[in-house]
């Protein structure tokens, strides 16, 4: 089993932005890791910073065609002072049989500052 990390940010706490950003991040994680069907996934954990509360990001994963039955859980991040605001983070558990160095973790938009060492140039 492997875990794939990812994160993104939104500009405002609206359902539309939450769903759009979550869907974008989830699809990019799947694409960059060659995951084409839900049978490769064990579960997904999504956390949000305390300033995101207008909608459940997990809904965007559950509404992704072919991934409706993947177990998804949402939680709130620890509110550490001066941490990155408006941030959605992912931990995708998968049965990929790759070395750790071959896993593509995805950091988009403002979340690129969290792990600049893992950001690829093609990341949005």
């Amino acid at each position: 089993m492997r875990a794939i990390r990812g994160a993104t940010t939104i500009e405002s706490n609206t359902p539309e932005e939450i769903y759009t950003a979550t869907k974008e991040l989830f699809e990019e994680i799947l694409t960059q890791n060659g995951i084409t069907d839900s049978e490769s996934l064990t579960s997904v954990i999504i956390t949000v910073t305390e300033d995101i509360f207008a909608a459940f990001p997990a809904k965007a994963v559950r509404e992704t065609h072919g991934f409706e039955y993947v177990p998804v859980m949402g939680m709130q991040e620890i509110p550490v002072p001066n941490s990155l605001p408006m941030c959605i983070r992912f931990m995708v558990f998968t049965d990929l049989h790759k070395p750790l160095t071959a896993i593509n973790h995805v950091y988009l938009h403002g979340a690129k500052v969290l792990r600049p060492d893992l950001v690829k140039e093609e990341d949005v």
Side-chain angles (χ1 to χ4, degrees), residues 28-37 40 96 98 104:
E28 194 62 29
I29 288 170
L30 297 176
T31 299
Q32 286 196 27
N33 288 283
I35 299 170
T36 57
D37 68 90
S40 299
L96 288 178
K98 294 181 176 182
N104 293 312

Side-chain angles (χ1 to χ4, degrees), residues 45-85:
I45 295 175
I46 302 171
T47 66
V48 296
T49 49
E50 65 183 341
D51 46 10
I52 299 175
F53 53 84
F56 293 109
K59 180 179 177 183
V61 173
R62 288 191 304 271
E63 291 182 348
T64 301
H65 179 70
F67 292 84
E68 299 90 345
Y69 299 108
V70 173
V72 182
M73 180 176 279
M75 296 178 242
Q76 188 176 70
E77 275 290 330
I78 300 167
V80 175
N82 302 313
S83 62
L84 182 65

Side-chain angles (χ1 to χ4, degrees), residues 9-30:
T9 54
I10 59 175
E11 294 294 318
S12 61
N13 179 37
T14 64
E16 297 77 22
E17 279 206 46
I18 294 167
Y19 297 144
T20 298
T22 302
K23 182 177 172 71
E24 176 189 35
L25 179 59
F26 184 58
E27 290 178 351
E28 194 62 29
I29 288 170
L30 297 176

Side-chain angles (χ1 to χ4, degrees), residues 1-5 29 35 38-46 70-71 90-96:
M1 180 185 294
R2 293 286 183 228
I4 305 168
R5 287 295 319 260
I29 288 170
I35 299 170
S38 62
E39 293 299 320
S40 299
L41 299 185
T42 302
S43 62
V44 177
I45 295 175
I46 302 171
V70 173
F90 267 61
M91 179 79 73
V92 178
F93 296 93
T94 177
D95 67 357
L96 288 178

